[in-house]
Amino acid sequence: MASRGNRARSQPIDNTISYVQCDGLAAMKMVKHCHEESLNNMEVAQGALLGLVVDDRLEITNCFPFPKSDETIDEEEYQLNMMRRLRHVNVDHFHVGWYQSADVGNFLSSTLLESQYHYQTSIEESVVVIYDTQKSARGFLTLKAYRLTPQAIAMYKERDFTPEALRNLKVGYENLFIEIPIVIKNSALCNIMMSELTEMVPEEEGTHFLDLGTASVLENHLRCMMDRVDELNHEATKFNKYQQAAIRQEQEKHRMLAKHAQDNAARVAKGEQAVAEEEVNKLFRPIPVPTRLNPMIVSGQINTYAQHISQFCSQSLAKLYMTQALQNAKDNKQ
């Protein structure tokens, strides 16, 4: 345990920003865009975040969606035009990251890692904000900000995803991202309006958050986890086959070298010149090592699903106990 703690303390820590402050208007724009995309065509919604950095605080003051996949639109040119027009109307136009929608918290993918690496290497303070549409629709606003860890940036910089390289960098699915606390800030007038709207909402409107139906949600989570486990098992089988092939090749190489040594000894005894070992080594080409990036990502997805199932079951048990107490109180009155 002590050696593990020392190893964790020796890893570099990202202290660029301590927390993210997001304006309520920018948050509502992200929420609206993500829900529209999930309802219309079930595609992942993505967009740019605009704002500025103040000391160790990243302020997100505005955002705009990325254009849909269309060959006629240059995405980079579109973003530059949007930021140029925002600057003309005196709106914060500095690019500070991007946002993306997620399905039940499952946002980890090679595409997201690649995109955040390019963002973070070009804009040091940039973050990716993940909005979970399904959890938010059930009454739990899920808006989280992430940054790549220094180990993950070093991994992508070297472009070496072999087991040896990942072990040297001490990179795993647990330390690919670091979560940055995010705070939503509203103006005083907006807070007053929200207080008035809260009083106007009927009490019955919140009863659907006490829904005790858990079968569909658990089934969806478990099916997704089963798919990821099958994918991880496929990756493990692929890596085991590589290890078996490498062992067989090494054994064959040792056998050939031993035979080569015997042949050289016979040649020397006859007064002939010995043959160099390089001739034997040329016969055995190194077997390419399968990349370990995808298994690491799949492991992170399985961990995310497991955490969501545990959290959901805890919340469901709390609802059941609360419902039981209410029913017992009702029975005692009768």
Side-chain angles (χ1 to χ4, degrees), residues 80-234:
L80 291 174
N81 288 335
M82 283 293 295
M83 289 186 287
R84 194 179 299 115
R85 290 169 182 171
L86 289 171
R87 181 178 58 187
H88 289 163
V89 294
N90 200 23
V91 176
D92 291 330
H93 60 279
F94 295 107
H95 211 160
V96 295
W98 60 300
Y99 68 88
Q100 176 178 303
S101 63
D103 183 14
V104 200
N106 187 21
F107 63 92
L108 189 59
S109 65
S110 58
T111 305
L112 184 134
L113 288 169
E114 185 83 19
S115 300
Q116 182 59 21
Y117 168 74
H118 290 301
Y119 267 95
Q120 213 161 312
T121 49
S122 58
I123 308 171
E124 186 180 1
E125 300 85 2
S126 64
V127 298
V128 54
V129 173
I130 304 296
Y131 175 73
D132 194 321
T133 54
Q134 287 199 16
K135 287 193 69 177
S136 299
R138 290 184 169 270
F140 304 97
L141 178 63
T142 307
L143 200 66
K144 296 184 178 181
Y146 294 95
R147 283 174 54 83
L148 285 177
T149 60
Q151 300 96 307
I153 292 177
M155 175 189 70
Y156 262 94
K157 188 175 182 180
E158 296 178 3
R159 294 288 174 178
D160 187 2
F161 306 120
T162 60
E164 186 68 25
L166 299 182
R167 185 166 56 250
N168 293 336
L169 291 172
K170 300 181 177 64
V171 178
Y173 68 87
E174 308 95 339
N175 57 356
L176 282 176
F177 281 101
I178 179 173
E179 184 177 350
I180 308 297
I182 185 168
V183 178
I184 297 180
K185 182 182 179 182
N186 293 315
S187 64
L189 291 176
C190 184
N191 288 331
I192 294 173
M193 184 191 70
M194 293 295 292
S195 299
E196 292 181 353
L197 289 176
T198 303
E199 296 176 356
M200 294 170 60
V201 175
E203 295 181 358
E204 292 78 11
E205 288 294 324
T207 55
H208 63 280
F209 294 139
L210 293 175
D211 181 20
L212 300 178
T214 60
S216 61
V217 179
L218 280 178
E219 181 182 359
N220 184 26
H221 281 57
L222 291 174
R223 285 187 181 277
C224 293
M225 180 180 283
M226 288 168 59
D227 293 339
R228 299 287 82 78
V229 170
D230 289 340
E231 187 175 351
L232 185 62
N233 181 56
H234 177 71

Side-chain angles (χ1 to χ4, degrees), residues 118 224 277 297 312:
H118 290 301
C224 293
E277 291 185 356
I297 292 174
F312 180 77

